Every structure is written in C-alpha cells, then in structure tokens.
Amino acid sequence: MHVTSERRLDDGVLEREFTLGDTPGTLWTPESAAPAPLILMAHNNGLPKREPRLVARARHSAAYGYAVATIDAPGCGDRPRSAADEQARADLRRAMQAGEPVDEIFESFIGPLVEKAVPAWRTTLDALLALPEIGGPVGYSGWTAVGIRLAVVEPRIAAAGFFAGGYVPRAQRKEARQVTIPLLFLLQWDDEGNPRRRALDLFDAFGTKEKTLHANLGGHTGTPWFEVEDGNRFFGRHLK
C-alpha cells in the first residue's frame, strides 16, 4: 500500500490518497489514539471514489470516529474500461431513457463489475487492517450488489448499509439469502432508476434476522442527510 498524498482537514480528519497495485483509493481516519473501526464505502454502479456525495459521507463518518476507505475497483471510476463495458453502459443508459427492458443489458454490464470489484475490495481490506490506526471490526456502506457478495464471502464484515437495490444481478439476488449480518437498507421511494417492488423483494430475501428498511420520498439522489447520521448510529451499535 503506497500513500501518494495526505492532508489534515479542518475537522481533524486525516485524508490519504493511496494505491494498492493498480487500485487507487482514499482513506480517511479520525483523530484518535485508539485504533478505529473501519467502514468500506462503495459508490453505486462503479462511479468514481471522488464523487462528492461519497466524499461527504466518508468525511462525516470519519469525524464520527470511524476509519473510512473507498477505492476505484477494476472497471469503476477512472479505471480503464473495455469497449464492451462502454457499449453496455451506453446501451443501458439509452434503454432506461426510452423506457425499454434493461434486465439483460444490466446483467451484461453490472455482473462483470461485481466479479472484478469484490477481489479488489478484499485485497484492500487486507492492507487496511494491517495499519496500526485501524483495528476493526469492519462495516460496509453503499453499492448493494458488491455489498451482498462481500457480506457472503468476507467474514470480517460485521454489519452493512445498502443503498437502493432495485437493479441487482440475479447472482446477488440469490446470494441475498446468505446475508446474515445486521443490515440497514435505504430506499428512495420515487427512485426512477431502481424499481420499488424489486427493492422491497430484495429486502424480504435477506437472510439476516436483524434488518431495517428506511424509505424516504424522492428520487435517486434525494436521500436525506439525516440518513448519514442514522447510518453512523447503526454502525455504532455493531462496530464500537
């Protein structure tokens, strides 16, 4: 793990850019003498780690006392994408705008992204937990499809917060029954990009006995800020 830059923010949080092989990432850590619990924070559908909403959430959680990390996994953010990935992304955007069926396009695009992203996240987790300022336990927040797979294959993740969930690959929908960790599921009731019924069915499918659904009116980017604060309290119950 190679730190490429670092700066101390106004709230005392230390922000570090790093690379791990070909994977770029950002780590935020609080001012604390004791090792901090860790939250892995992934943006939906491969958007970049510098996306303002993700950065705002990460900084708030770090100021709350967590170490927070995000990466651009293969095919995500500014990482190179294949011509097939770019075509699938364009086809998905066109089909959604036209109101056409998108299931098969979605599978061809998001399914491979999940398969590539999860190993990168696990490698990053190995490196982060080797740092003296991070002590675990570990939470996950963000992209539902990646989070489901991580929750199934990664025993170090103790709790998770998932966003949306209307469009999740078939493989992860099947795996949802194997998710047994505490779960907070956020749903925007009027999200044009995530069918409400599918999201509710996915919530029902999760195998955990401790799952909470928060639904708010509004579109995809309209999640109220208080949900960030509620998410920190959720992780506080399970990571501290």
Side-chain angles (χ1 to χ4, degrees), residues 6-196:
E6 67 177 50
R7 60 173 179 151
R8 183 72 65 177
L9 305 177
D10 292 342
D11 54 9
V13 170
L14 180 63
E15 179 185 84
R16 282 172 282 182
E17 300 290 333
F18 66 86
T19 57
L20 189 60
D22 294 333
T23 301
T26 307
L27 172 64
W28 296 266
T29 49
E31 283 189 305
S32 173
L38 173 65
I39 298 175
L40 305 178
M41 196 167 284
H43 208 296
N44 280 5
N45 298 348
L47 291 175
K49 65 183 180 65
R50 67 174 183 274
E51 207 282 334
R53 286 177 294 153
L54 183 147
V55 172
R57 285 168 36 223
R59 290 182 57 173
H60 189 275
S61 294
Y64 205 83
Y66 302 102
V68 184
T70 187
I71 62 171
D72 279 345
C76 300
D78 293 330
R79 299 287 297 277
R81 300 188 182 107
S82 68
D85 286 344
E86 288 296 286
Q87 185 61 54
R89 190 184 292 266
D91 290 345
L92 180 63
R93 190 162 44 241
R94 178 196 54 77
M96 292 185 72
Q97 290 173 349
E100 298 173 356
V102 300
D103 283 1
E104 294 309 315
I105 301 173
F106 182 85
E107 290 286 337
S108 69
F109 172 43
I110 300 299
L113 275 186
V114 173
E115 295 298 328
K116 296 173 185 175
V118 168
W121 275 107
R122 298 189 76 185
T123 299
T124 302
L125 179 57
D126 291 339
L128 292 171
L129 290 180
L131 298 176
E133 63 268 39
I134 298 177
V138 182
Y140 172 91
S141 175
W143 187 3
T144 299
V146 167
I148 291 173
R149 172 63 59 83
L150 275 173
V152 170
V153 303
E154 183 47 75
R156 292 173 290 184
I157 294 181
F162 293 158
F163 293 0
Y167 282 117
V168 169
R170 286 187 285 266
Q172 278 67 65
R173 288 185 171 274
K174 292 179 181 178
E175 289 176 329
R177 302 187 185 284
Q178 302 175 50
V179 175
T180 57
I181 59 175
L183 177 65
L184 175 63
F185 193 75
L186 298 183
L187 170 64
Q188 284 301 102
W189 203 246
D190 308 301
D191 188 343
E192 63 284 355
N194 280 281
R196 183 190 309 163

